[in-house]
Amino acid sequence: MIACPVTAFPFATFRSGQRESLDAIRSAFDGGHRFVVLDAPTGAGKSAVAVALAREASSAYVLTGQKLLQDQYLRDFPDLSLMKGRANYDCLVIPTHAAAAPCLVGRRYEACDACPYFRAKDVAMAADGTVMNYAYFLHEVNFGGGFGERDLLVLDEAHGIEGALMQFAEVRLTDADLARTGVQAQLPQGPDVEVHLDAAIELIPRLRERSSQLAVRQQGLPTGSGELAALLRARRWLDGTVHRLSLLQDDVEEGGRWVVDRDRDADGVAVAFRPVDVAALAEPLLFRYGARVLMMSATVLDAETYLRALGIDPAAAAVVQADATFPPQNRPIRLRPAARLTRHYLSRDLPRLVDAVAELMRMHPDEKGVVHAHSYKIARAITEGLPPELATRVRSHASAADRDAALTAHLDAREPTVLVTPSMTEGIDLADDRARWQAICKIPYPYLGDPQVAARREIDPSWYAWRTCLRVVQAYGRSVRSRDDHAVTYLLDADFPAFLKRERGRLPGWFLEAIEEA
């Protein structure tokens, strides 16, 4: 540790590399770069660097991907203001939360003056430094109002920016929603993308008109009545859909590509409109709210591909790279190729994978572990195929709805449980005894059956390889969370040796140095 003379830095000492990262970022901003990327592995102390720069700025936003990390920022740096989404605050007018309150459609009451949500928002808008998550921030600055441009925009977990923008821009329409809100229209038949896009854009004035009609009907309805609540829900959907369809229209008119997913269920036709890329959307929706933008992640990996995906000229951005501080011997990666899990070999080799997981569980009889299964099909094969004496250690989930319960069961258990999951490669902390070993079953290629992914790879093939490497490195980072922590990671896919050789130039050096020879 190095003594810290900088008053803006939140701690008394620097971790290894923090001072150098701070100096390099300051120099890049001073040199005229608007965008700076801090590519630093877990344990590099990125949040402290961000807070120091936010304190030095005249005003700053700090955005994260998860509410859990928002809470961590506030706990570690209480001078920051915390702002969450409306659903986290009670409504004082009707028995609901602020995300379903009458004010969303312009109806105000005396009690609104003491609204917990708006009081928190007033504090957050006035604060020099405010922490929010991506989903709430994108909605507020683009649809809500109140938050304006600041001197510094800090984007933590910045590898998730593209996904956050895609999720924000996505529009989903169903026949059931149209019928429920009284819109006399049906979604078109057939697979033609242009037909669907034209129909969606043509809906905009009809949705606006229907919202205005409902606004007239709600006048005079008693507070708390079921009819008023139904009208409020309908107007909220109508107004939100108009906002997103208008965004779609603007992007399509500028030449943006969108994919259309169409399916049918018991309620009729459902159509999802999703942008193929967000390079043209990132600046107007997000970046324009920061005069300077700092992006931080442990998995930038390929800076050129990463920046290009966000519409940033790589030559116009500075990249600051920090070295790993965790000893490689504490976080070894061991190749144990056990099964080929591509579509043609999956059925044949799943039993071999189950045997490999069983062997690891026997090698670690007294230690907790996590098995990254990649898909629910693989997770189910493992949980159902293990011998009974090992199956009792497993904690798993069959859907996203059960995910948190499975994680909690693993964390709370005193016995050496094994978390088998297809969806926890990011955002969870399995430090110390929570996971002394982990297995990555399959190379986590993005699913090419998703038309958005297929179209995205067509535009930029390097993006597909980058996203795959990102997922591998993110999964690897779940278990070793500090310099004194230790855990071993096993790579079970038989194609991993070739993959690592092929992607050696994209994977970070601190990852490669941990790979042990078989």
Side-chain angles (χ1 to χ4, degrees):
M1 294 290 185
I2 304 170
C4 172
V6 184
T7 56
F9 193 74
F11 300 121
T13 56
F14 285 111
R15 290 185 190 178
S16 175
Q18 278 181 317
R19 181 198 292 273
E20 291 79 6
S21 293
L22 262 174
D23 289 344
I25 294 167
R26 290 183 184 121
S27 295
F29 281 139
D30 291 343
H33 289 94
R34 182 185 171 208
F35 295 96
V36 178
V37 177
L38 175 57
D39 186 359
T42 301
K46 294 186 290 293
S47 59
V49 170
V51 169
L53 293 165
R55 288 176 175 176
E56 293 171 1
S58 59
S59 59
Y61 294 119
V62 179
L63 306 188
T64 75
Q66 303 174 66
K67 289 188 288 186
L68 181 66
L69 292 178
Q70 284 182 266
D71 294 333
Q72 182 176 318
Y73 264 102
L74 188 65
R75 183 174 62 250
D76 295 342
F77 315 109
D79 58 307
L80 295 174
S81 175
L82 176 65
M83 190 66 209
K84 294 185 177 181
R86 285 175 170 266
N88 295 278
Y89 304 89
D90 291 334
C91 175
L92 303 181
V93 177
I94 58 177
T96 184
H97 48 66
C103 61
L104 282 168
V105 288
R107 192 157 182 176
R108 300 277 296 179
Y109 299 86
E110 184 177 344
C112 293
D113 294 338
C115 173
Y117 169 75
F118 283 109
R119 286 192 168 184
K121 186 175 179 179
D122 287 343
V123 172
M125 288 191 298
D128 292 333
T130 305
V131 180
M132 290 179 267
N133 64 49
Y134 287 112
Y136 175 76
F137 181 83
L138 285 168
H139 182 274
E140 280 302 301
V141 296
N142 290 289
F143 299 155
F147 291 105
E149 180 183 320
R150 293 194 178 181
D151 177 25
L152 179 66
L153 176 63
V154 177
L155 304 175
D156 202 352
E157 297 182 298
H159 58 275
I161 295 173
E162 183 184 38
L165 287 166
M166 284 184 168
Q167 186 174 4
F168 174 73
E170 180 177 330
V171 188
R172 182 175 174 83
L173 300 173
T174 70
D175 280 340
D177 283 329
L178 295 173
R180 176 178 56 82
T181 54
V183 179
Q184 301 302 311
Q186 282 193 317
L187 298 170
Q189 304 294 315
D192 191 291
V193 173
E194 295 302 321
V195 170
H196 281 86
L197 289 172
D198 289 343
I201 292 169
E202 289 169 3
L203 272 175
I204 295 174
R206 301 178 68 176
L207 298 182
R208 283 201 181 106
E209 180 183 6
R210 183 57 180 164
S211 181
S212 298
Q213 292 170 352
L214 296 185
V216 174
R217 282 181 52 186
Q218 78 181 43
Q219 299 301 317
L221 290 176
T223 302
S225 70
E227 185 178 359
L228 176 60
L231 287 179
L232 293 176
R233 286 194 297 271
R235 286 196 64 203
R236 185 185 178 206
W237 182 86
L238 289 164
D239 294 345
T241 304
V242 166
H243 282 310
R244 282 178 165 75
L245 286 177
S246 299
L247 174 64
L248 178 151
Q249 180 181 23
D250 291 343
D251 191 56
V252 168
E253 290 176 351
E254 292 295 324
R257 286 183 58 186
W258 291 63
V259 297
V260 176
D261 297 332
R262 186 178 183 277
D263 58 55
R264 176 181 287 275
D265 57 23
D267 294 324
V269 173
V271 179
F273 301 85
R274 297 186 291 158
V276 172
D277 72 88
V278 296
L281 300 176
E283 176 65 32
L285 294 182
L286 178 61
F287 294 148
R288 71 185 180 98
Y289 294 97
R292 299 176 297 150
V293 182
L294 172 64
M295 296 174 281
M296 311 189 304
S297 176
T299 48
V300 172
L301 306 186
D302 179 349
E304 183 173 340
T305 298
Y306 169 76
L307 291 166
R308 191 168 58 243
L310 296 173
I312 302 170
D313 181 358
V319 179
V320 176
Q321 292 185 312
D323 295 329
T325 59
F326 300 172
Q329 62 269 24
N330 287 8
R331 47 182 179 87
I333 299 171
R334 294 175 184 163
L335 288 165
R336 295 177 69 89
R340 296 194 68 187
L341 300 174
T342 55
R343 180 167 55 91
H344 296 296
Y345 295 93
L346 184 62
S347 297
R348 185 199 73 181
D349 279 16
L350 268 178
R352 302 178 184 179
L353 177 69
V354 175
D355 289 343
V357 172
E359 181 181 359
L360 295 178
M361 292 177 69
R362 292 188 179 103
M363 290 169 55
H364 299 272
D366 303 315
E367 294 176 319
K368 289 189 175 188
V370 57
V371 176
H372 299 290
H374 182 66
S375 71
Y376 283 107
K377 180 176 182 178
I378 294 174
R380 185 168 58 252
I382 293 170
T383 57
E384 294 177 356
L386 289 170
E389 68 274 12
L390 297 177
T392 56
R393 292 174 58 188
V394 168
R395 303 293 182 269
S396 191
H397 55 106
S399 69
D402 303 325
R403 179 182 181 273
D404 289 347
L407 177 60
T408 300
H410 173 72
L411 297 178
D412 292 347
R414 294 185 177 182
E415 62 270 25
T417 52
V418 177
L419 181 63
V420 178
T421 173
S423 60
M424 298 193 200
T425 56
E426 293 190 42
I428 62 167
D429 184 341
L430 297 173
D432 303 319
D433 290 337
R434 296 171 180 175
R436 289 301 182 192
W437 64 277
Q438 61 178 348
I440 302 176
C441 294
K442 185 181 185 302
I443 300 172
Y445 294 108
Y447 177 50
L448 283 173
D450 182 332
Q452 186 183 42
V453 172
R456 187 74 183 82
R457 188 179 74 159
E458 180 184 335
I459 292 174
D460 186 359
S462 64
W463 172 89
Y464 190 74
W466 169 67
R467 290 297 303 182
T468 305
C469 291
L470 185 153
R471 290 178 172 187
V472 172
V473 178
Q474 280 288 330
Y476 172 57
R478 293 313 93 210
S479 57
V480 177
R481 310 291 293 179
S482 68
R483 183 175 180 82
D484 298 323
D485 197 1
H486 63 89
V488 57
T489 297
Y490 300 97
L491 306 182
L492 303 185
D493 192 326
D495 291 330
F496 255 123
F499 172 83
L500 295 175
K501 183 177 181 179
R502 185 171 64 250
E503 300 299 336
R504 190 171 187 86
R506 186 173 276 115
L507 292 164
W510 53 265
F511 176 91
L512 296 171
E513 71 179 359
I515 298 174
E516 296 183 350
E517 295 295 329

